[in-house]
Amino acid sequence: MSSESPAPDSVVEQRKQRAEAWFTELRDRLCGEFERIEDELVGINAARLAYTPAGRFQYTPWQRDDSSVADPGGGLMAVMHGRVFEKVGVNVSTVAGHFSENFAQEIPGTEATSGFWACGLSLVAHPRSPHVPPAHMNTRHIVTGKHWFGGGADLNPIVAHEPDTRDFHAALKETCDTHGDDYYDRYAAWADDYFYNKHRGEPRGIGGIFYDYLDSGDWEADFAFTRDVGLTFLDIFPRLVRRHMFTPWTEKERAYQLFRRGRYTEFNLVYDRGTRFGLQTGGNPDAVLMSLPPLASWP
Amino acid sequence: MSSESPAPDSVVEQRKQRAEAWFTELRDRLCGEFERIEDELVGINAARLAYTPAGRFQYTPWQRDDSSVADPGGGLMAVMHGRVFEKVGVNVSTVAGHFSENFAQEIPGTEATSGFWACGLSLVAHPRSPHVPPAHMNTRHIVTGKHWFGGGADLNPIVAHEPDTRDFHAALKETCDTHGDDYYDRYAAWADDYFYNKHRGEPRGIGGIFYDYLDSGDWEADFAFTRDVGLTFLDIFPRLVRRHMFTPWTEKERAYQLFRRGRYTEFNLVYDRGTRFGLQTGGNPDAVLMSLPPLASWP
């Protein structure tokens, strides 16, 4: 992590506001797209859910409880239980406070202050069909004594479709290549390393990209990259959903989906950095654990 | 933790063998009792599972992989998918090796050596009926530079039945009182503290007892207490199962059961000491995570 000379407070404040405005805009565009997909379901997969209407997002605000700061923040959970999406959550949260002494040791820029500000969007989609891949995307801006962006997107197919893997990685690579020659190689490798169930000795899915502590010295460039990661996901993931949402599935594929969701749950509760950050900073547990699947099995 | 004067190696070896023989005998008695319960199911709860035969345990051995010791050990998983018990696992494992440097810092008796030997029985029962309480029991003997017993038993009702809570605690209290005046108060409080989902601010169930690092200075007495905890569970839990196994349940109760199992999963993956010990010491992940429910939901 390199750094520009420290920005005046007014610039830092303006950047926080721009980041939050972007995450909110991206949330609205993602939720709109997912609701359109809900409306588009026809055929056998709609018929087997004859009495289930197309899903719509439900919005639940939450406040963070912390008397150490004037505005501890909170967030807005957007969750939809639909026909194509058995459960999909898109959370935007903006929080500020002070890290616990132990947790501060894991975070850059906490030498002089334990104060933090963080804003981010997290998305987890658990489709009903085992042919439609579950996906995760998160982007965030964090300010301590330092400031950086982080995020990533990864795909967790149940029934493997090789073209999905290829197209998902190609889309991320194209975006990465626009912003930094080595971004794709580094961030795809980081995703492979990060999205890995060590105790099982197996990857969570087919990867994607993961980045953290991104401060190139050019805040505008880093913010632009982070926006593009969100836009890339907004483009590629709905394409993969529409590719498979009409395909019928078998009970055996459904059982395997529930089993794979168990492994997904293991990753999120044992390793996930965002989950850990949320629970360590007094986040709303329902918002932090929104990522967990609607139904999972350990047979 | 107080301590006798160090026992000669031959005595330590004999104790290890006696502990392992006990855990194996207890396993056989528990599995036998659970299979008898499977045979006893009649009435509507048998009829709705008309084609499901009474369950029987399947036994799967596993070996621990560790070249640092001559015999790294392993275990035997016993798992039954039955009619009364949707999933019940009873594992006995005997492992030996060396702790990682980090993990050793959390364990007593590792100043002079990182070597350990551990043998224990763990049991987790996930009944099919929301009226039959899920239960957990574990007892273990651990030898490092020190030696101690640990264990506990707790009940996690879905549909609350007050007499169950009363009888479960009364049985444990009677056993505790035989072995130490303050055992019940201390170990019941420890269970309340331990079996608690901090991030949710809620207990996992209605408690029971939990103890660890038990070395009173009298190995025989500590071993006798540990045996009695197992025998108490072998007596009280089947009585609670038989009390409720014939009661019909509703879909709403079933849905709530799956939701509560989600919370149970959160505890085991985020906090459980045995899970952490198992994964940190290279245990078989299927055996370590045998405790996870056959089906769980995060609605």
Side-chain angles (χ1 to χ4, degrees), chain A residues 87 200 286 293-294 296-298, chain B residues 87 200 286 292-294 296-298:
Chain A
K87 180 181 175 188
R200 297 285 189 185
D286 285 323
S297 79
W298 286 267
Chain B
K87 180 182 175 186
R200 297 284 188 185
D286 286 323
L292 298 178
S297 78
W298 285 267

Side-chain angles (χ1 to χ4, degrees), chain A residues 30-42 54-56 80 83-85 132 234-235 237-243 245-246:
Chain A
L30 286 160
C31 290
E33 186 69 6
F34 290 164
E35 291 187 351
R36 272 189 292 280
I37 288 173
E38 281 289 310
D39 290 336
E40 291 167 17
L41 188 68
V42 292
R56 286 297 178 261
M80 176 167 74
R83 307 190 300 176
V84 176
F85 296 101
V132 179
L234 173 63
D235 176 63
F237 181 58
R239 282 202 275 138
L240 302 183
V241 174
R242 290 187 170 98
R243 195 178 277 178
M245 62 191 265
F246 304 106

Side-chain angles (χ1 to χ4, degrees), chain A residues 10-65:
Chain A
S10 63
V11 172
V12 172
E13 285 311 309
Q14 203 184 39
R15 287 172 175 175
K16 288 178 181 176
Q17 285 172 28
R18 286 175 60 200
E20 185 173 6
W22 163 250
F23 293 129
T24 304
E25 179 190 330
L26 179 61
R27 192 263 326 280
D28 290 343
R29 292 174 67 176
L30 286 160
C31 290
E33 186 69 6
F34 290 164
E35 291 187 351
R36 272 189 292 280
I37 288 173
E38 281 289 310
D39 290 336
E40 291 167 17
L41 188 68
V42 292
I44 183 147
N45 290 348
R48 69 200 284 172
L49 294 166
Y51 299 101
T52 306
R56 286 297 178 261
F57 278 92
Q58 301 292 318
Y59 294 84
T60 309
W62 63 273
Q63 298 289 319
R64 196 169 152 276
D65 189 20

